[in-house]
Every structure is written in C-alpha cells, then in structure tokens.
Amino acid sequence: MNRRIFNAIWIVAVIVFLSSLLFIMGVLYSYFSGVQAKQLRIETELASRGVAMSGIKYFDSLDIKDYRVTWIGTDGTVLYDNAADTSEMENHLEREEIKEALDEGYGESVRYSSTLSDKQLYSAKLLPDGSVLRLSIVQMAIWSLMLGFIQPILLVIIISLILSLILASRLTKRILEPINNIDPDNPMQHINEEEYKEIVPLLSRIQSQNEQLKRDQKEIEKAAMIRQEFTANVSHELKTPLHAISGYAELIEKEMVKEEDIKPFAGRIREESTRMTKLVEDIIDLTKLDNGGVEMKWEDCDLYRIAENAVDSLETPASQLDVTINIQGSDAPSWGAPQLLYSIIYNLCDNAIKYNHAGGCVDVIVQPNKYETSIIVKDTGIGIPEECCERIFERFYRVDKSRSKEVGGTGLGLSIVKHAVMIHNGKIEVKSKVGEGTEVIVSIPNKQEYIEL
Ligand code: ADP
C-alpha cells in the first residue's frame, strides 16, 4: 500500500507538471507567432515606404540577416533579393502573397520548408509604381523551439522530479501514519473519523468483530469451566455410592457381617446402585439436551395425556410418602418431543412429592390457552428459600443436600427440566414460600405459535 500510494502521488505530480509545461509552451508559442507576424507586417510597411522613396538605393544601406527581402518588378522578375542571386530566380507573379498584394495592395502567406518543421512567413506590399516588396522570416516550429531550450527544460524536469519524489514520500508517510498506528485490538481509538471517513466502516466492523470474539471467547471459557465443574461433580457423585457399595461388599467378603445383617446390607447395595443408575440416566438425558435434543422425535401430542401418565406412574411413590397427587385440566394439543415433555412434568411432580410433608398434597393443573399451555405443579411441601429459587436449576445444586440424598435425588432433575423447556421455546417460573409450599409454572407455546417463532 505504501509503495502504491507513493507511486500514485509522484506519477500524478509529474504528469500534471509535464502537461502544464506543454500547455504553457503551446500558449507562449502561439502568442509569439502572432507577435512575429504582426512585426513582419510593420517591417514590410516601413521598408515599402523606403523603397518607394529611394528605389534600389534603399537596399544599399540595408544590413539585415534575419529577414529575407525581395523586390519584384511589375512583370514578376526579381529586381532585388538579399539572400539569392536574382538572375537565377524564376518569375514570382504566381506566388500567393504576390498575387494577393497585386490584387489588394497587401498579401500574406505561409509555406512550410522541406523538413516541415519550420515555416516561412511572407508579407508583400504593392508599391505605387506597381512593383511589390516582399519580406519573409523563418518561424521555428514548436519542437525546434523546445530543442533550443532543451537544457533549461531538462533541468526543470529533473528538479520537479526530485521535488515530487520528496513530496510523495512525505505525503505517503502522513497519510499512512495513522493507519499504521491502528491498534488491532481497539481500531477506533486513535483515528480521526472525519479525516478517514472511508475506512471508518471497516474499522468499526473490526471493532465489533473483536468485541464479538471477546464475547465468544468468554462464552467458550465459561462453557469449558462448566464442563470441567460438571465432570468433577459427576465423578464425586459417582464415587460416593461406589465407595459405599465396595465397603458393604468388602465387609460381607471378610465375613464381618452377621448372618441376619446380610439381607439389609444387600438392600443398601441395591439402593446405592439404584442411585447410581438414576444418576447415569440423568447424565445421559442432560448430554442429549446439551446437543439440542436433535435425536428426539417431534410430533403432535397432548400435554394433558402426558401429565396424566406422569401422575399415574408417581401415584405409588406418593402414597408411600403419604402424599396425595391430583390432576385437573383439559386436553391440550401441543407440538414437541413427548419424551422431553414427560420428563418435565415427571421431574416437577417427583420433586413436589419428595420435598413434601406426610399428609401433604400435590396439584397438577394443565391449562390450555390461546397461545400457550400452562402446566402448574403446586405442592404443600417444605418450600424453597427465596435466594435459592434461581439456583435450583443449576446442575447438582441442592438446597438441602442430605434431604435430597435421603429421597434419592441426583441434583440434576431441574437442570433437565429447564433445558427441555428451553428446547420447546417455553418459560418456567417458580413461586415458593418456606414451610408453605412451592408452585412451578411451565408454559409451552402452542403449535402455531411455535412455528411462527
Ligand atoms: P434433586 O434431584 O436433588 O431433587 P433437582 O434438580 O430436581 O434435584 O432440584 C434441585 C433442588 O431444588 C432440590 O435438591 C431441592 O432442594 C430443591 N427443590 C426442587 N423442587 C422442590 C420443591 N417442590 N420443594 C422444595 N424444594 C425443591
């Protein structure tokens, strides 16, 4: 870019200079040609008066080199010529300027010399006795004139070349300096927006892309951190039941358990492996959701029927904890992945039962509206402190860790719910009061609304 700008500036400067030089030379040449022709006319006028008065004697005292003077008699013979032998000269009656002078009293003509470069100006005047006096002069062609000035012209060209090179180099530096000083991390910082209007859109684009890159970088780092945390949590969560299982198994192996205790020990081993299985299943579900649920089958479904199924399958565990679960509402046609919609309602109801009191109840309401269907899961359970309501959707977050473990929680249920709701473009809201109960409202857009989104 540096070289291109530099070349452009000095080439333009040289071209402009040379063309102005040529133009000025042309103008001067035509002006001086005019002056020369006018002068020739005056000289002819003066000389013709001299010849009219003194005749051939006029030429005796004449000593001129630049002009050619010819006197032609009435019959066309040359009476006098200061540059040639009159006896050898042909009749001049047919010459253009002579004919014109004989007709009109004064005549002029221009003839090119054999080389075509220079031209000869003729000026002829009719004298009172019928003879004609002719003066002529050589007018140099513009090229011959320039050749005569070749040295000063060359000098001027060389000086202008050097000057334009110096100026071009300085200008290039001045133009490029702010561009070279652009900080790629903050391109708009040192640039004068008025002066560099043309590159401002490019710079602001670089700036916004930089910001986007920084944001993306932050998101990538955040995602990597979440993944790392998740992996650490998963290993930790798996280690606990594994340790317990291997501990119980070791005691049995070393015959350190009484005969009657073997059965309860086996029961604990089964409990721990069930917890592990649930954890692994939840992790698999979450991983699928992390991929956007692409392998899930989407179809027309009824949210009320799905809720009914979830409630049915939770009735036994609910009655074991002395919790009653009811469902109300009406058919709610929807569009989504039935497997995910089921896991949303199942997980919410499961929590509402697990974190309830004996004798408590859970109400599931499916409310189809014009644009969306609301699923409300309301319990009379232990409630969630206000400051925890946001965090319960984080992976492995539990309000009360020991209570969650006691009821077989993995800490992943609500993360799965949140993800599944997001995939359906839905919303989730939690209202809770410690000691009174919790209400979770999920809204899933209806089919048409979903398509229009
Ligand atoms: P978990 O497997 O521990 O139930 P979740 O992700 O389903 O994990 O829930 C996260 C935490 O939110 C639970 O550990 C519990 O402390 C709290 N929580 C969820 N639902 C309720 C509820 N209906 N009532 C009270 N606390 C709840």
Side-chain angles (χ1 to χ4, degrees):
M1 178 142 119
N2 203 323
R3 186 124 289 269
R4 288 188 75 173
I5 295 179
F6 173 78
N7 284 345
I9 294 175
W10 82 259
I11 290 171
V12 167
V14 168
I15 290 174
V16 169
F17 171 74
L18 287 181
S19 28
S20 348
L21 187 75
L22 270 178
F23 178 74
I24 290 168
M25 294 278 299
V27 170
L28 282 179
Y29 178 75
S30 81
Y31 173 74
F32 285 115
S33 300
V35 169
Q36 209 178 20
K38 204 170 155 192
Q39 228 169 0
L40 182 70
R41 201 174 177 160
I42 295 167
E43 308 275 359
T44 313
E45 191 66 42
L46 290 173
S48 63
R49 286 195 188 173
V51 175
M53 271 166 62
S54 323
I56 195 106
K57 274 193 209 133
Y58 175 78
F59 300 110
D60 294 347
S61 54
L62 222 56
D63 181 23
I64 39 173
K65 285 187 189 74
D66 295 340
Y67 290 93
R68 181 175 173 190
V69 185
T70 317
W71 188 24
I72 299 117
T74 43
D75 56 354
T77 52
V78 178
L79 304 173
Y80 172 81
D81 194 295
N82 66 341
D85 186 354
T86 49
S87 59
E88 280 170 22
M89 288 173 79
E90 58 192 36
N91 192 294
H92 268 47
L93 274 186
E94 284 310 306
R95 301 288 160 98
E96 198 186 328
E97 68 282 0
I98 308 287
K99 266 174 45 190
E100 206 178 310
L102 286 172
D103 284 351
E104 292 164 28
Y106 179 78
E108 262 179 15
S109 80
V110 176
R111 279 195 286 281
Y112 284 91
S113 69
S114 52
T115 56
L116 276 181
S117 59
D118 295 343
K119 52 186 183 180
Q120 193 88 27
L121 303 185
Y122 293 95
S123 163
K125 171 90 184 159
L126 180 67
L127 303 186
D129 63 355
S131 64
V132 174
L133 179 73
R134 185 184 75 178
L135 259 69
S136 87
I137 193 168
V138 174
Q139 192 173 64
M140 278 164 121
I142 189 159
W143 312 117
S144 323
L145 199 73
M146 278 174 82
L147 223 63
F149 285 117
I150 195 73
Q151 274 183 343
I153 287 178
L154 270 179
L155 192 73
V156 169
I157 287 176
I158 289 168
I159 291 173
S160 73
L161 241 171
I162 294 170
L163 263 177
S164 62
L165 286 179
I166 295 171
L167 276 175
S169 135
R170 289 207 172 166
L171 267 175
T172 312
K173 236 190 196 161
R174 256 186 65 184
I175 293 171
L176 289 180
E177 204 172 14
I179 298 174
N180 288 335
N181 286 342
I182 287 172
D183 174 7
D185 288 332
N186 198 353
M188 297 292 285
Q189 201 178 25
H190 299 300
I191 216 85
N192 181 335
E193 290 188 30
E194 244 337 281
E195 216 174 317
Y196 286 88
K197 269 204 263 314
E198 296 76 9
I199 57 165
V200 163
L202 175 74
L203 296 182
S204 56
R205 204 159 157 203
I206 295 176
Q207 178 117 339
S208 71
Q209 278 183 349
N210 273 351
E211 277 156 19
Q212 178 69 38
L213 275 176
K214 274 183 204 154
R215 275 198 296 272
D216 289 353
Q217 178 72 20
K218 267 191 195 147
E219 258 167 43
I220 290 169
E221 280 167 12
K222 202 172 145 203
M225 222 174 73
I226 289 174
R227 248 199 319 272
Q228 239 176 4
E229 240 173 58
F230 184 62
T231 317
N233 280 330
V234 167
S235 335
H236 177 76
E237 295 287 333
L238 282 173
K239 245 193 226 161
T240 324
L242 268 176
H243 274 151
I245 290 170
S246 79
Y248 294 136
E250 199 183 339
L251 288 177
I252 297 170
E253 191 188 18
K254 289 185 177 159
E255 294 178 352
M256 289 165 80
V257 183
K258 287 186 228 145
E259 188 68 36
E260 65 267 29
D261 285 340
I262 289 183
K263 214 173 161 193
F265 267 60
R268 282 185 199 164
I269 290 175
R270 195 187 47 77
E271 249 172 47
E272 293 297 340
S273 19
T274 312
R275 184 199 297 280
M276 262 174 65
T277 313
K278 174 87 174 73
L279 188 66
V280 171
E281 276 169 4
D282 279 358
I283 292 167
I284 292 172
D285 283 353
L286 253 184
T287 316
K288 280 186 194 157
L289 290 171
D290 274 342
N291 296 335
V294 276
E295 65 265 48
M296 307 280 177
K297 207 170 154 243
W298 283 60
E299 54 193 60
D300 284 312
C301 44
D302 187 333
L303 276 168
Y304 185 76
R305 300 262 159 272
I306 293 173
E308 238 178 8
N309 287 341
V311 169
D312 278 354
S313 57
L314 281 166
E315 229 141 36
T316 318
S319 64
Q320 277 166 2
L321 293 168
D322 194 15
V323 173
T324 45
I325 181 161
N326 305 300
I327 177 161
Q328 338 164 13
S330 53
D331 287 351
S334 188
W335 169 252
Q339 203 185 331
L340 291 183
L341 295 170
Y342 179 84
S343 81
I344 294 173
I345 303 170
Y346 183 93
N347 273 308
L348 292 179
C349 295
D350 186 38
N351 281 350
I353 297 165
K354 283 191 306 193
Y355 303 106
N356 218 318
H357 305 290
C361 76
V362 175
D363 285 310
V364 181
I365 305 151
V366 180
Q367 234 169 40
N369 300 316
K370 196 173 170 204
Y371 301 113
E372 59 187 18
T373 295
S374 304
I375 305 145
I376 303 155
V377 179
K378 215 156 69 175
D379 65 56
T380 54
I382 58 171
I384 305 162
E386 209 185 324
E387 65 276 14
C388 303
C389 282
E390 278 282 303
R391 299 203 60 194
I392 52 172
F393 297 101
E394 289 174 20
R395 293 166 188 200
F396 295 113
Y397 182 82
R398 290 127 162 162
V399 179
D400 180 348
K401 210 162 185 165
S402 53
R403 165 116 195 196
S404 163
K405 288 217 164 150
E406 199 184 296
V407 293
T410 59
L412 293 176
L414 286 182
S415 309
I416 294 173
V417 169
K418 192 182 175 185
H419 250 78
V421 171
M422 264 162 55
I423 286 175
H424 285 86
N425 273 318
K427 283 182 296 211
I428 186 160
E429 194 191 339
V430 180
K431 293 177 190 165
S432 187
K433 256 203 175 131
V434 176
E436 285 183 21
T438 304
E439 183 177 340
V440 183
I441 305 143
V442 168
S443 321
I444 302 289
N446 290 344
K447 186 172 182 179
Q448 198 51 39
E449 306 309 312
Y450 186 83
I451 292 166
E452 280 169 11
L453 271 171

